[in-house]
Amino acid sequence: MGGHGYSGWWGHMGGPKHRGVVTYQLSPYEMKTNAHLISKGTHNFFRRTSSQLGYILPGVFLFWAVTHYGKKRHEWLNSKAGHAAQHDH
């Protein structure tokens, strides 16, 4: 039916207290987000990319092959030879 009234804002709902929850926070001034970006970042980029090529290249090649075939087929169907072949049936 209706609500029970105002029960408080988020985080202060009046329910039982949570026990055993520990949170950690690191100051943004202590983090070095761009440390060694140039010296180690480029090496890691190429190492990680090269390890994934076996998974990426087959899909890229399949996409290229289907697109290439479709374009050539479209060009042929719109050519004089393609029109003649379609109308001979």
Side-chain angles (χ1 to χ4, degrees), residues 10-89:
W10 291 107
H12 305 286
M13 301 297 271
K17 301 291 182 194
H18 290 281
R19 302 179 95 184
V21 177
V22 180
T23 59
Y24 297 95
Q25 185 174 359
L26 184 63
S27 169
Y29 299 108
E30 293 181 23
M31 292 189 290
K32 296 178 181 176
T33 56
N34 294 327
H36 308 291
L37 180 66
I38 301 300
S39 62
K40 295 182 180 177
T42 53
H43 172 69
N44 281 338
F45 171 77
F46 287 115
R47 180 180 57 83
R48 291 177 179 175
T49 304
S50 64
S51 70
Q52 296 298 315
L53 286 178
Y55 300 105
I56 296 170
L57 286 182
V60 170
F61 177 74
L62 181 66
F63 176 76
W64 173 82
V66 168
T67 305
H68 183 73
Y69 170 77
K71 285 183 179 182
K72 291 294 182 185
R73 176 89 171 141
H74 179 72
E75 288 176 7
W76 183 79
L77 287 174
N78 288 320
S79 68
K80 187 183 281 188
H83 282 283
Q86 290 294 322
H87 293 295
D88 285 344
H89 288 59

